[in-house]
Amino acid sequence: MKLTKSEQTYLELGSLYESYGYDKFLMRKFEEYSLYLENKNFLTSEHILTFNDPGGKLMALRPDITLSILKNAKNKKGAQKVYYRENVCRLDKRSMQYVEIEQLGIEAVDSVGTATLLEVCELAKKSLEAVDPDYILCVSDMEYVLGFLETVKGMDEGATERVMSFIKSKNAHELYLELTACGVKEEYAAEFSSLIMFSGTNGEIFEKAKALVLNQRMEKALMNIKSMTSESAMPEKVKVDFTLMNDISYYNGPVFCGYVKKIPRAILTGGFYNRMAQKFSKTCAVGFALSLDELDAYYGENPEYDVDALLLYDSEEAVKKALRLAESMRSTGMSVRIEKSVPEGIRCREIIRVDSD
Amino acid sequence: MLNIALPKGRLGMKVYDMLADIGYECPEILEDNRKLIFENKKNNVRYLLVKPSDVTIYVEYGAADIGVAGKDIILETMPDVYELLDLGFGKCRMCVAAPVGYREDTDRVLRVATKFPNIAKNYYMSKNREIEIIKLYGSIEIAPLTSLSDVIVDIVETGTTLKENNLEVIESILPISARLIANKASSNFRADEIGRIVSMLKNRKNEV
């Protein structure tokens, strides 16, 4: 059987994650709804498919994997490293229909230190490479932007939201206006705004960002970014991108996002979500998810033929002959289909008519 | 080949002129025909002429690497794209308008007719005002005149249409202009080229 791109990727990456000591984690398809209700900001959408179990408990078709892993890890001691291949059920914002999305990912809970950061980055890169050697992993540390924002005194909740939105969309012109309206000096606002747009080398971005450091939080973040880019086996595949910002109620620290050449959107997202982990009595957690769904659509092969040979028998007497012929052809590696007449729309390399004579 | 989605019509042609000036010329686009895709292999560029409200979709889904869309469309559809530059033209305002002399009854739900339900919803949510949205696809000005709605939320350029229909602006929501947007993956894989375009368009804008 020919494996699809998503199946090949899963097999390759499953072995890779296991070679790094990650255990396969299998979970139920549904969870109690309360888990998502209590952590709804962590989810990409508030729309969750629910149902009542026979006991009357409100259950939900899982819209997220990370929460289930944290819930499972809550009462376990020590560091845990797991990988998974699971489906999540989410509302597609364009079609406004629920869709099942297949994800392959890893999570490292309570495994602290630079080693984990670099290991997860390395695995993210290898995961993208398994899909397509032409990939880019964007990295950042949210603390850099958050460290800057804490220095801006005149910023209310609405302004913070707008600033975050302008950063995420690389909207430097409106970011500049918002920052100056909040009292940031024009020169600094202009430099900071141009930093999020800057498309130079990592070294150039790093120098530009270094000049804008205002506190230890920003400095530490920059060190993390430097580690992720410079201590990498393939530094040219890693790009610094300060627009990577996840929900600050849950995420903090390093974040990453990966692209492959043929897919027009990020297929890998992840980062540290220590704030979320702390809600489950853990100190830190990091992980990423790779979307397997789109791989077959963009990397799938469309074979020229559905089947190598189509055997057409003209009478009941010819059936045995057709079956024998098909079997011998299959033994040579061909795919063979037997029919009485040509099925509509079939594409076959050759049609062989088997008669009773 | 760089794929560029342009809005059909006057705005699209203005953007094309700017892009042609900075090296992305494709003279075929100026011919009077019904073609929607124009390619210039020499300049390594392909233009897609699409409905203005579809530009964001073409860019978000990667059929186009970059495109030009109004801020109104961007705010309404919230596409997952980068908004790289305010091109500084196609300027107008998103406004609330009502019949001349209208006085709002704050004791009941406000009926708002609009082509931009998300912008209207977010605006009134920021004011904590309960509204009923009536989504229309055109001739919005008729809605308050026929008691279909109390007010409208729409784009106002000169205000002539409002005036001729005995309406006036009662609140200004935000300024609108044309924006250069880019697909996120393309922005990474073609960072140098897109960065160069942004920089050249910015310089050209500053010169005007």
Side-chain angles (χ1 to χ4, degrees):
Chain A
M1 191 176 84
K2 199 162 168 37
L3 295 177
T4 63
K5 181 72 178 174
S6 57
E7 287 165 338
Q8 289 169 29
T9 306
Y10 164 62
L11 290 177
E12 187 176 334
L13 293 181
S15 306
L16 173 76
Y17 302 151
E18 281 174 16
S19 74
Y20 276 70
Y22 286 72
D23 296 323
K24 174 94 190 274
F25 186 84
L26 190 69
M27 57 196 94
R28 292 201 306 170
K29 292 211 180 313
F30 40 86
E31 284 277 1
E32 285 183 33
Y33 177 66
S34 56
L35 176 68
Y36 305 116
L37 187 66
E38 286 158 16
N39 302 290
K40 61 181 181 186
N41 290 343
F42 188 70
L43 306 173
T44 52
S45 162
E46 283 184 19
H47 298 273
I48 298 169
L49 268 181
T50 58
F51 63 95
N52 283 97
D53 76 358
K57 202 176 273 179
L58 189 60
M59 307 296 286
L61 285 182
R62 197 183 46 220
D64 172 81
I65 305 290
T66 305
L67 284 170
S68 299
I69 289 175
L70 278 176
K71 188 180 149 192
N72 180 273
K74 191 175 178 181
N75 297 319
K76 291 181 181 166
K77 288 204 170 83
Q80 285 154 66
K81 289 183 173 179
V82 296
Y83 79 96
Y84 59 85
R85 179 201 188 183
E86 295 286 344
N87 286 350
V88 290
C89 189
R90 289 180 184 163
L91 186 77
D92 178 59
K93 69 168 187 162
R94 290 266 170 246
S95 64
M96 289 308 278
Q97 287 184 330
Y98 283 98
V99 290
E100 249 190 317
I101 301 165
E102 192 181 18
Q103 292 185 335
L104 175 65
I106 63 162
E107 306 284 352
V109 180
D110 268 1
S111 178
V112 288
T114 315
T116 303
L117 168 65
L118 298 180
E119 178 183 279
V120 172
C121 260
E122 207 52 39
L123 284 173
K125 278 192 294 174
K126 287 183 174 171
S127 301
L128 291 167
E129 195 174 14
V131 176
D132 188 337
D134 201 353
Y135 73 90
I136 288 174
L137 179 70
C138 298
V139 298
S140 182
D141 187 318
M142 286 170 55
E143 298 299 311
Y144 183 83
V145 170
L146 297 175
F148 159 60
L149 293 184
E150 77 177 19
T151 67
V152 187
K153 301 295 173 211
M155 194 173 274
D156 60 19
E157 204 180 313
T160 309
E161 230 171 74
R162 285 192 295 278
V163 164
M164 294 293 237
S165 147
F166 296 146
I167 290 174
K168 282 187 209 172
S169 60
K170 278 200 181 184
N171 186 343
H173 47 279
E174 282 180 283
L175 176 63
Y176 169 77
L177 295 175
E178 189 69 47
L179 290 178
T180 48
C182 289
V184 177
K185 283 185 183 158
E186 281 180 20
E187 199 184 335
Y188 188 93
E191 284 298 316
F192 191 85
S193 305
S194 78
L195 176 68
I196 64 155
M197 285 282 289
F198 196 63
S199 59
T201 64
N202 285 340
E204 288 166 340
I205 295 176
F206 193 76
E207 283 309 308
K208 210 168 157 60
K210 201 173 164 188
L212 291 170
V213 166
L214 297 173
N215 51 31
Q216 278 192 339
R217 198 176 175 185
M218 291 175 85
E219 198 172 339
K220 197 174 163 219
L222 215 46
M223 293 315 292
N224 277 337
I225 295 171
K226 199 172 185 184
S227 304
M228 287 189 279
T229 53
S230 59
E231 288 168 39
S232 160
M234 301 257 276
E236 71 282 1
K237 299 277 187 190
V238 184
K239 284 177 75 171
V240 179
D241 182 354
F242 287 105
T243 65
L244 297 182
M245 295 296 291
N246 292 336
D247 191 306
I248 53 173
S249 342
Y250 298 96
Y251 287 93
N252 59 331
V255 278
F256 26 82
C257 171
Y259 298 89
V260 287
K261 186 76 177 177
K262 286 188 185 174
I263 300 183
R265 55 191 72 89
I267 61 157
L268 181 145
T269 51
F272 277 73
Y273 48 97
N274 296 353
R275 292 201 178 99
M276 183 72 204
Q278 281 149 18
K279 287 184 79 177
F280 288 84
S281 316
K282 297 287 164 190
T283 52
C284 63
V286 58
F288 64 75
L290 176 78
S291 172
L292 291 178
D293 262 353
E294 295 186 286
L295 302 190
D296 296 335
Y298 288 93
Y299 286 91
E301 289 168 18
N302 188 12
E304 202 178 338
Y305 301 106
D306 302 318
V307 67
D308 291 323
L310 174 68
L311 301 193
L312 294 177
Y313 58 91
D314 63 353
S315 63
E316 290 308 308
E317 291 74 41
V319 170
K320 274 189 183 170
K321 200 172 163 189
L323 286 170
R324 274 198 306 275
L325 179 59
E327 215 37 54
S328 73
M329 290 170 82
R330 286 184 195 119
S331 67
T332 65
M334 288 173 77
S335 58
V336 184
R337 183 167 164 174
I338 302 177
E339 295 290 349
K340 196 160 190 178
S341 57
V342 180
E344 199 180 326
I346 196 168
R347 298 171 306 170
C348 45
R349 201 180 295 273
E350 60 176 325
I351 295 178
I352 301 169
R353 295 183 190 279
V354 183
D355 50 37
S356 50
D357 301 337
Chain B
M1 182 78 67
L2 186 75
N3 290 301
I4 304 176
L6 293 183
K8 275 197 260 183
R10 209 157 33 101
L11 179 67
M13 283 307 104
K14 188 165 180 175
V15 179
Y16 168 73
D17 287 343
M18 292 173 78
L19 290 165
D21 270 2
I22 61 167
Y24 292 91
E25 203 181 6
C26 181
E28 201 190 350
I29 205 170
L30 301 170
E31 289 170 13
D32 186 19
N33 59 38
R34 293 189 173 203
K35 278 179 75 175
L36 299 171
I37 298 182
F38 303 91
E39 195 175 300
N40 186 337
K41 286 195 175 125
K42 196 179 117 214
N43 290 337
N44 211 22
V45 65
R46 183 188 293 128
Y47 286 97
L48 317 175
L49 286 189
V50 304
K51 193 176 168 184
S53 55
D54 289 341
V55 170
T56 53
I57 298 170
Y58 277 83
V59 175
E60 181 176 0
Y61 284 80
D65 300 299
I66 59 171
V68 171
K71 182 73 179 177
D72 50 329
I73 305 294
I74 296 171
L75 286 173
E76 184 59 29
T77 57
M78 300 293 280
D80 189 18
V81 296
Y82 288 136
E83 187 184 326
L84 301 178
L85 187 64
D86 180 351
L87 293 167
F89 57 81
K91 283 186 177 176
C92 49
R93 284 177 302 154
M94 184 65 71
C95 295
V96 182
V100 173
Y102 167 79
R103 189 173 175 278
E104 186 180 336
D105 179 359
T106 54
D107 197 26
R108 63 175 178 81
V109 173
L110 185 73
R111 292 170 308 149
V112 183
T114 185
K115 275 193 278 188
F116 303 96
N118 290 328
I119 293 176
K121 191 178 74 187
N122 291 336
Y123 176 64
Y124 282 104
M125 203 186 281
S126 74
K127 296 173 61 164
N128 204 21
R129 179 75 167 100
E130 183 76 28
I131 61 163
E132 179 190 350
I133 301 256
I134 301 161
K135 164 95 195 209
L136 294 177
Y137 295 88
S139 303
I140 313 290
E141 293 81 5
I142 302 172
L145 303 176
T146 54
S147 297
L148 177 64
S149 72
D150 299 309
V151 297
I152 61 171
V153 167
D154 204 10
I155 288 171
V156 178
E157 200 173 342
T158 60
T160 311
T161 315
L162 290 182
K163 207 171 171 184
E164 287 178 1
N165 286 288
N166 202 32
L167 300 175
E168 63 182 359
V169 170
I170 56 170
E171 289 161 78
S172 182
I173 300 179
L174 56 105
I176 303 290
S177 56
R179 309 294 167 101
L180 179 74
I181 59 172
N183 174 270
K184 288 191 169 179
S186 301
S187 297
N188 281 297
F189 286 106
R190 314 185 74 136
D192 292 344
E193 187 172 20
I194 292 175
R196 208 167 43 243
I197 290 173
V198 172
S199 157
M200 286 193 287
L201 289 178
K202 206 187 272 181
N203 291 341
R204 197 181 178 281
K205 185 184 150 192
N206 293 338
E207 284 164 13
V208 175

